Amino acid sequence: MSDVIILGAGPAGMTAALYCLRNGKSVTIFEKNAVGGQIAIAPRVENYPAIDSITGEELSDKMFQQILDKGVDFQFGEVDEIKKEGDHFVVATQEERFTARSVIIAVGVKRRTLNIEGEEELVGHGISYCAICDGPFYKDEEVVLVGDANSALQYALLLASYCKKVKMVTMFDHFFGDDALIKQVKANPKIEVIHDYKTVGFEGEKELEAVNFVNAAGDKLRIATRALFVAIGQVSSNTAFADMVDLDKGGFIIADDDMKTKTEGLFVCGDCRAKTVRQVTTACGDGAIAATSACKYLDK
């Protein structure tokens, strides 16, 4: 039996593992995809304190090696179910059952994609889902943004603060965001809004060169650019834990400031919890808090 089982080896989960291990706890961490989560595919990370620039893959590798050196038990696989039996938890995969005295959920989120051929290959090579992370790399350039809700409106304003031009393309003929944000976007001379166009394709093999769109009338639009920012929402992956936690309307886990869920001994951290800012630094902060709370719970 482990003291702590952590679901997800992204920045939040690995930070939680580090804090628990340094506190003398035994830790098993599960990851179903790639270590590092979304940050692992970032071409450059320049908003991590004390590090001027680093690739997402290198940052992830450093985090992972650190917890390996501290003695983490790493399991590659997907957790299907969590149950609490008495004073311990049972975590089940398709192959095995694991037990722990506490659990930290750090499964992150999935970015909603355009689901177009070639999109995955161009992620990190011109296609980005995070203007905060990657926008500064295109300072003084013309960029394209796809999206029509609050996140997209906020991204448009952010990008316009350092990009030469932002061409904002929406799938419908109107926005779905707050009036205040819409007014700011419409009033910004560096933002060109193009309504009612659907993204249909990309040009460029190794690097993005252009994005193709079409409207309901069949009119085609080609925009040459090195950067496309996609802001069409995020998808939570918390349904497997619905019996153990409270979820908001978006399916994100509700927790208090100590990362405690409604189930005693079950904690959450990172992008999978209900929050407003999702960055690598906030994920690490969540992980540190969740681990500290878990250790206090175990020491009672």
Side-chain angles (χ1 to χ4, degrees), residues 3-295:
D3 289 324
V4 186
I5 283 179
I6 300 173
L7 311 183
M14 289 194 285
T15 301
L18 176 63
Y19 272 68
C20 289
L21 290 163
R22 284 175 54 82
N23 200 269
K25 308 300 188 244
S26 58
V27 179
T28 299
I29 191 168
F30 286 82
E31 176 54 57
K32 67 177 181 179
N33 293 314
V35 168
Q38 294 185 66
I39 200 67
I41 63 173
R44 283 179 289 176
V45 178
E46 295 185 343
N47 57 357
Y48 196 84
I51 299 177
D52 288 335
S53 183
I54 190 171
T55 67
E57 182 179 12
E58 185 180 2
L59 180 60
S60 300
D61 287 347
K62 286 179 177 291
M63 288 181 171
F64 187 51
Q65 188 61 52
Q66 188 176 26
I67 60 174
L68 284 178
D69 291 344
K70 293 282 189 295
V72 75
D73 173 30
F74 178 74
Q75 297 288 333
F76 184 77
E78 183 173 3
V79 170
D80 297 320
E81 185 182 31
I82 303 174
K83 292 191 297 183
K84 189 171 186 182
E85 297 181 354
D87 60 354
H88 69 275
F89 291 85
V90 176
V91 174
T93 67
Q94 288 187 345
E95 294 81 19
E96 293 183 74
R97 285 162 54 93
F98 298 80
T99 57
R101 296 167 59 207
S102 65
V103 172
I104 299 174
I105 301 172
V107 294
V109 294
K110 295 180 181 178
R111 301 284 183 180
R112 184 171 280 113
T113 68
L114 294 165
N115 197 28
I116 296 173
E117 183 179 356
E119 181 177 4
E120 183 176 349
E121 290 77 9
L122 288 171
V123 172
H125 300 278
I127 294 180
S128 172
Y129 305 95
C130 181
I132 299 172
C133 312
D134 302 328
F137 300 136
Y138 301 96
K139 183 180 179 181
D140 298 326
E141 296 190 35
E142 294 191 1
V143 302
V144 178
L145 169 67
V146 171
D148 50 28
N150 279 339
S151 293
L153 292 163
Q154 291 167 344
Y155 275 9
L157 293 167
L158 176 66
L159 290 167
S161 68
Y162 40 71
C163 293
K164 180 180 179 181
K165 185 82 173 180
V166 180
K167 294 188 176 181
M168 186 176 188
V169 183
T170 74
M171 189 172 177
F172 300 95
D173 61 359
H174 60 282
F175 290 113
F176 293 91
D178 296 338
D179 287 341
L181 288 172
I182 294 171
K183 288 177 181 178
Q184 290 180 60
V185 165
K186 289 182 176 179
N188 194 311
K190 294 174 70 176
I191 301 174
E192 177 186 348
V193 178
I194 304 170
H195 281 310
D196 212 18
Y197 271 85
K198 179 182 179 181
T199 314
V200 294
F202 312 109
E203 295 179 23
E205 294 183 4
K206 295 183 178 180
E207 300 289 335
L208 181 69
E209 297 175 3
V211 186
N212 294 308
F213 303 89
V214 66
N215 66 11
D219 300 322
K220 296 180 180 179
L221 173 66
R222 178 185 183 274
I223 303 178
T225 185
R226 290 200 321 122
L228 169 66
F229 293 91
V230 181
I232 56 175
Q234 297 170 321
V235 181
S236 61
S237 305
N238 300 318
T239 52
F241 321 125
D243 293 340
M244 305 287 290
V245 300
D246 289 323
L247 303 177
D248 68 7
K249 62 181 181 180
F252 295 94
I253 298 173
I254 297 171
D256 65 12
D257 291 343
D258 293 324
M259 307 297 150
K260 297 177 182 177
T261 69
K262 73 174 185 181
T263 301
E264 189 176 21
L266 179 62
F267 306 88
V268 64
C269 59
D271 289 358
C272 62
R273 79 176 185 94
K275 56 193 290 189
T276 56
V277 179
R278 291 181 169 87
Q279 292 288 290
V280 61
T281 47
T282 61
C284 292
D286 282 0
I289 296 169
T292 302
S293 296
C295 290

